[in-house]
Amino acid sequence: MTTLFDDILATPQPWSQQRIAEWADVFSSQHGASLQDFVVLERLRRDVRVDMRAVVGQSEHYAGQSWREAVLAPQYKPGKMRAVFAQYERHPDYYFNGELDNGILLSSIDGSNWYTNGGGNHRTVLAKFACDRIARQTGRHPLVRGAWTCHYQADMLAWSLFCQLQQGHAEAIFLRVTREDMRQEAVPGGSDISWRLQFFVVDRRFGGTARSGRLDAAQFCAYARHVLAHDGRPSWRDRVMNSLIGDSERLVYPS
């Protein structure tokens, strides 16, 4: 009987030529902050059924190689890659009957594109090829059973505005963001963890005493939009308000 490895050698599939994306490129850091700092919700789920076509990358290991290269010329622990293929020939139902038991950990920002992150890199590579082969043989693409998933939801608007301020106006405006008030809630199949964003801003654009303020996410977005709309230069109205507001712990913007 033809093995899965033999099938990969003999039948290169177009999808297998795609590069394995790197998780760190999605969960990026720039302008002094990480997207991780803007995560407001993590949806953790266990024993999830996964369509492996939605898995596009992983954290390190084989990232940068094509999926086929990861099998034929693995750049990380080739012996372990050979071992999971040998195990599959002995027990192909392992990925579909629940025995996987959260042995693949997947993360996503958008809930559509998933990355192996924290465990199961070798199993993910194999599972993509195994599911593809079964689909070509049966016309039905199976779901892998028993993955652990984490869907990170970040405040992308606040992240974008933060980066724009840092990129164009870091000399005049100091920014810091923190996540506060963590709450964890049990839900069917897992848990949800949420945070509240808090921004600390120091605004030196008016000269003299700097203004500062602590803002929630909505207030920060309003402040950032106002500053960016004027390309960082205080408007005539802003200068008037600066002279009228004596409290230096208040920021000047239409709240």
Side-chain angles (χ1 to χ4, degrees), residues 201 203 209-213 245-251:
V201 181
D203 191 336
T209 303
R211 292 193 166 276
S212 64
I245 299 174
D247 186 358
S248 63
E249 295 187 0
R250 283 182 58 190
L251 297 171

Side-chain angles (χ1 to χ4, degrees), residues 28-41:
S28 60
S29 296
Q30 55 181 303
H31 307 301
S34 167
L35 184 56
Q36 174 79 49
D37 299 329
F38 290 79
V39 169
V40 294
L41 179 64

Side-chain angles (χ1 to χ4, degrees), residues 132-170:
D132 176 77
R133 185 190 192 195
I134 291 171
R136 284 185 279 115
Q137 292 173 339
T138 67
R140 180 185 62 85
H141 203 283
L143 300 180
V144 166
R145 178 182 170 188
W148 176 279
T149 63
C150 180
H151 180 191
Y152 296 90
Q153 295 183 353
D155 188 329
M156 300 304 291
L157 176 59
W159 160 252
S160 175
L161 292 170
F162 186 98
C163 290
Q164 291 178 63
L165 283 180
Q166 286 287 81
Q167 185 176 23
H169 309 289

Side-chain angles (χ1 to χ4, degrees), residues 78-95:
K80 191 168 183 179
M81 185 66 78
R82 290 192 295 269
V84 296
F85 272 83
Q87 181 190 39
Y88 177 78
E89 298 305 325
R90 295 191 299 270
H91 189 22
D93 291 339
Y94 169 79
Y95 291 86

